[in-house]
């Protein structure tokens, strides 16, 4: 869909804004929003709100076990009213902002803004803060080493010039964007549902292969285990201890808050095995004054398992190390699994990333509320697995690789579609709010339709 441009424009000398329609104003941001500085001094409000990137303002209870924790003392928090615009001063450029539909309190590092309704239509005001150019411009004046995490403030925001059309035009633009972004958001949701279905199907395929095998006509027998059900008659049902040659844990010294350089030693984070795929980039640099323990260096062919995590979903995540750069060490929150000759490493990884094994793991993890969930070695060794002959394990691994590659390809296509839709959404908002397209006829066309 293409849209016309305005007839007449004027220059603004503002890089990110460029030309705007000649009848628009370009006032500073403080003309359209004011900062809300009210504090929860008496602690009357206990409804703590959080910001999630690309989600917006939500109750803390809905956030899950990720990100910053709720403070014990809420008296220092900022008050947020319905309709207020909330910005994470450090993560604005990566999507951590939104309009609040709740009354509550938020972190004192957030910026809380209230639209000046006598000047600007609130839904249009929100769209200004969604413009990528505006965000990047604001972030460029922030403080910090990392460009995308520079801390901004109201003192920065209030001076930034913004595009301001007449009131009726503001409403037209806001209505147009509400309609068009809803269509895009619906398509994004459909792609996310597809990804979820693909992931569920992938887990089901893996679970079936590691408990039933590939031969649909193979005679079956009861496994004697509630998780495994019936298994091929010629398979053994054993505890994990029967296929282990050893379990190793590494070292977790205080590291630097950055990844290790090419020739530096680093400690792998527990996230290095998230979702069953090894990622060498998930590491922290070892300080120069600490000597590496070379015995803990991770090698190609290792089997790694997360034994502890703040998220129970990630405990027990297992990955095969197909390739790894030198000088990366095992942490003490990660197991290195040494296997007996009766177990193929990649088959073991498939078993532990299957849906049925997740059920055993989730029932066995320990950890008090607020602490890391932990998988004890003693529990791990007691898990029941179905064990086919080694030759059959190799065959199953080969077939799973082919099937999982197809699932991964479809998921990558869906993720790419989401990325393109988001780019389209961002470009559309920017074009409409900065006057690069004229959508004044949108309202009348909608009414006629």
């Amino acid at each position: 869909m293409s849209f016309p441009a305005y007839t007449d424009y004027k220059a603004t000398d503002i890089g990110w804004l460029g030309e705007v329609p000649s009848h628009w104003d370009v006032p500073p941001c403080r003309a359209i929003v004011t900062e809300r500085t009210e504090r929860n001094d008496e602690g009357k409000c206990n409804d703590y709100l959080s910001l999630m990137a690309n989600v917006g303002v939500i109750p803390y209870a809905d956030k899950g076990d990720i990100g910053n924790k709720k403070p014990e003392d809420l008296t220092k928090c900022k008050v947020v009213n319905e309709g207020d615009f909330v910005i994470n001063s450090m993560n604005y450029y990566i999507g951590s902002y939104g309009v609040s539909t709740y009354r509550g309190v938020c972190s004192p590092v957030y910026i809380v803004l209230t639209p000046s309704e006598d000047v600007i239509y609130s839904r249009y005001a929100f769209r200004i803060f969604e413009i990528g150019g505006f965000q990047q411009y604001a972030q460029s004046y922030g403080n910090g080493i990392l460009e995308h995490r520079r801390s901004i403030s109201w003192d920065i925001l209030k001076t930034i010039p913004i595009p301001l059309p007449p009131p009726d035009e503001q409403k037209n633009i806001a209505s147009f964007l509400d309609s068009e972004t809803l269509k895009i958001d619906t398509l994004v949701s459909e792609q996310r549902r597809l990804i979820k279905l693909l992931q569920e199907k992938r887990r089901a395929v893996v679970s079936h292969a590691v408990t039933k095998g590939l031969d649909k006509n193979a005679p079956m027998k009861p496994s004697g285990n509630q998780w495994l059900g019936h298994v091929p008659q010629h398979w053994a049902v054993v505890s994990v201890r029967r296929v282990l040659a050893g379990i190793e844990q590494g070292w977790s010294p205080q590291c630097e808050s950055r990844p290790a350089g090419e020739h530096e030693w680093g400690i792998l984070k527990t996230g290095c095995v998230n979702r069953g795929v090894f990622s060498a980039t998930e590491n922290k640099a070892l300080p120069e004054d600490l000597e590496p323990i070379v015995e803990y260096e991770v090698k190609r062919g290792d089997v790694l398992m997360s034994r502890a995590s703040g998220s129970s979903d990630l405990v027990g995540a297992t990955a095969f190390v197909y390739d790894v750069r030198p000088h990366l060490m095992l942490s003490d929150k990660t197991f290195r699994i040494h296997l007996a000759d009766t177990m193929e490493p990649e088959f073991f990884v498939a078993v532990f990333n299957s849906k049925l094994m997740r059920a055993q793991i989730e029932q066995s993890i320990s950890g008090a509320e607020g602490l890391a969930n932990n998988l004890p070695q003693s529990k791990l060794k007691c898990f029941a697995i179905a064990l086919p002959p080694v030759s059959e394990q190799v065959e199953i691994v080969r077939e799973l690789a082919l099937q999982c590659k197809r699932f991964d390809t479809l998921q990558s296509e869906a993720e790419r579609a989401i990325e393109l839709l988001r780019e389209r959404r961002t470009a559309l908002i920017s074009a409409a709010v900065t006057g690069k397209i004229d959508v004044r006829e949108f309202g009348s066309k909608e009414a006629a339709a």
Side-chain angles (χ1 to χ4, degrees):
M1 186 187 298
S2 60
F3 301 95
Y6 284 84
T7 305
D8 298 311
Y9 286 87
K10 63 183 178 184
T12 64
D13 296 325
I14 302 163
W16 69 269
L17 186 53
E19 294 183 330
V20 298
S22 56
H23 63 289
W24 287 22
D25 291 330
V26 188
C29 192
R30 61 174 174 268
I32 65 161
V33 288
T34 57
E35 184 184 22
R36 184 185 296 281
T37 57
E38 181 184 353
R39 303 277 176 167
N40 189 35
D41 293 330
E42 297 180 6
K44 291 182 179 180
C45 184
N46 292 312
D47 298 324
Y48 191 68
L49 304 175
S50 288
L51 267 176
M52 286 191 70
N54 302 312
V55 175
V57 182
I58 59 173
Y60 176 81
D62 295 350
K63 183 168 69 81
D65 190 20
I66 55 175
N68 296 330
K69 302 297 182 183
K70 177 181 177 180
E72 293 184 7
D73 181 8
L74 298 182
T75 61
K76 297 178 182 178
C77 293
K78 290 183 177 178
V79 171
V80 178
N81 283 338
E82 292 183 29
D84 283 348
F85 186 62
V86 186
I87 298 173
N88 184 328
S89 60
M90 290 188 65
N91 293 334
Y92 178 37
Y93 190 46
I94 60 173
S96 193
Y97 59 87
V99 175
S100 178
T101 57
Y102 308 93
R103 173 170 171 77
V105 296
C106 70
S107 166
V109 303
Y110 290 172
I111 301 169
V112 182
L113 303 175
T114 302
S116 302
E117 295 185 359
D118 58 330
V119 177
I120 196 161
Y121 187 51
S122 60
R123 293 206 331 262
Y124 176 79
F126 168 62
R127 295 299 185 182
I128 292 173
F129 288 89
E130 283 194 291
I131 301 173
F134 179 91
Q135 295 172 2
Q136 191 171 13
Y137 184 81
Q139 208 82 39
S140 69
Y141 285 91
N143 297 314
I145 298 173
L146 299 177
E147 182 178 353
H148 68 283
R149 293 207 65 188
R150 287 177 179 166
S151 179
I152 62 173
S153 67
W154 171 237
D155 286 338
I156 293 170
L157 290 175
K158 70 183 182 182
T159 62
I160 300 176
I162 55 94
L164 186 65
D168 288 346
E169 222 166 313
Q170 294 176 31
K171 292 181 180 180
N172 253 128
I173 293 170
S175 296
F176 165 78
L177 289 175
D178 286 348
S179 174
E180 295 303 308
T181 57
L182 177 61
K183 295 174 186 175
I184 294 173
D185 292 343
T186 299
L187 293 173
V188 168
S189 294
E190 290 173 357
Q191 292 299 313
R192 284 179 175 152
R193 281 195 294 272
L194 173 60
I195 289 172
K196 187 175 181 181
L197 288 172
L198 288 169
Q199 291 172 340
E200 290 175 354
K201 179 65 175 176
R202 191 183 198 274
R203 284 193 293 268
V205 166
V206 172
S207 294
H208 188 275
V210 299
T211 56
K212 312 299 180 193
L214 303 177
D215 183 359
K216 296 179 180 179
N217 299 315
M220 307 295 281
K221 68 179 179 183
S223 67
N225 181 276
Q226 61 173 320
W227 309 111
L228 301 179
H230 284 69
V231 300
Q233 204 168 68
H234 63 290
W235 288 21
V237 176
V238 300
S239 63
V240 168
R241 72 173 72 251
R242 292 278 302 276
V243 299
L244 291 179
I247 300 178
E248 205 178 343
Q249 286 177 230
W251 178 38
S252 291
Q254 187 67 40
C255 291
E256 298 183 23
S257 57
R258 62 175 179 83
E262 183 179 359
H263 302 293
E264 292 181 302
W265 281 88
I267 302 288
L268 286 163
K269 299 190 286 188
T270 55
C272 72
V273 293
N274 281 2
R275 316 299 178 210
V277 178
F278 175 71
S279 174
T281 59
E282 290 290 318
N283 72 78
K284 289 186 176 182
L286 187 71
E288 291 184 1
D289 60 342
L290 293 179
E291 286 293 323
I293 302 176
V294 295
E295 292 85 352
Y296 291 152
E297 186 176 13
V298 171
K299 304 287 189 181
R300 182 182 300 176
D302 282 348
V303 173
L304 305 182
M305 178 188 297
S306 170
R307 74 160 183 87
S309 173
S311 172
S312 59
D313 292 340
L314 300 179
V315 177
T318 307
F320 183 83
V321 180
Y322 289 98
D323 197 14
V324 62
R325 50 150 281 191
H327 299 161
L328 293 180
M329 289 181 288
L330 193 68
S331 83
D332 76 342
K333 291 185 179 180
T334 307
F335 292 141
R336 174 155 49 192
I337 307 293
H338 299 278
L339 296 166
D341 293 340
T342 54
M343 174 63 81
E344 276 294 303
E346 290 168 278
F347 185 80
F348 181 89
V349 169
V351 168
F352 266 81
N353 289 326
S354 70
K355 188 175 180 180
L356 296 173
M357 182 55 73
R358 286 302 320 162
Q360 293 190 67
I361 292 170
E362 288 169 7
Q363 197 174 69
S364 301
I365 58 178
S366 61
E369 186 176 354
L371 299 177
N373 300 282
N374 180 63
L375 177 61
Q377 287 194 34
S378 57
K379 296 285 183 67
L380 167 63
K381 292 176 181 178
C382 292
F383 291 156
I385 60 171
L387 185 66
V390 171
S391 59
E392 196 169 347
Q393 293 177 39
V394 172
E395 186 181 353
I396 291 171
V397 166
R398 188 182 299 118
E399 178 61 25
L400 282 178
L402 293 174
Q403 295 198 43
C404 289
K405 184 177 182 180
R406 288 194 284 269
F407 286 121
D408 292 343
T409 299
L410 292 172
Q411 181 170 330
S412 294
E413 291 173 356
E415 289 169 345
R416 177 58 180 157
I418 289 174
E419 183 181 347
L420 292 172
L421 286 165
R422 282 178 172 170
E423 290 174 1
R424 164 69 175 166
R425 189 184 195 277
T426 300
L428 195 63
I429 292 170
S430 179
V433 177
T434 61
K436 303 303 181 289
I437 57 175
D438 183 354
V439 299
R440 285 176 293 183
E441 297 298 315
F442 171 76
S444 58
K445 289 180 180 179
E446 286 286 294

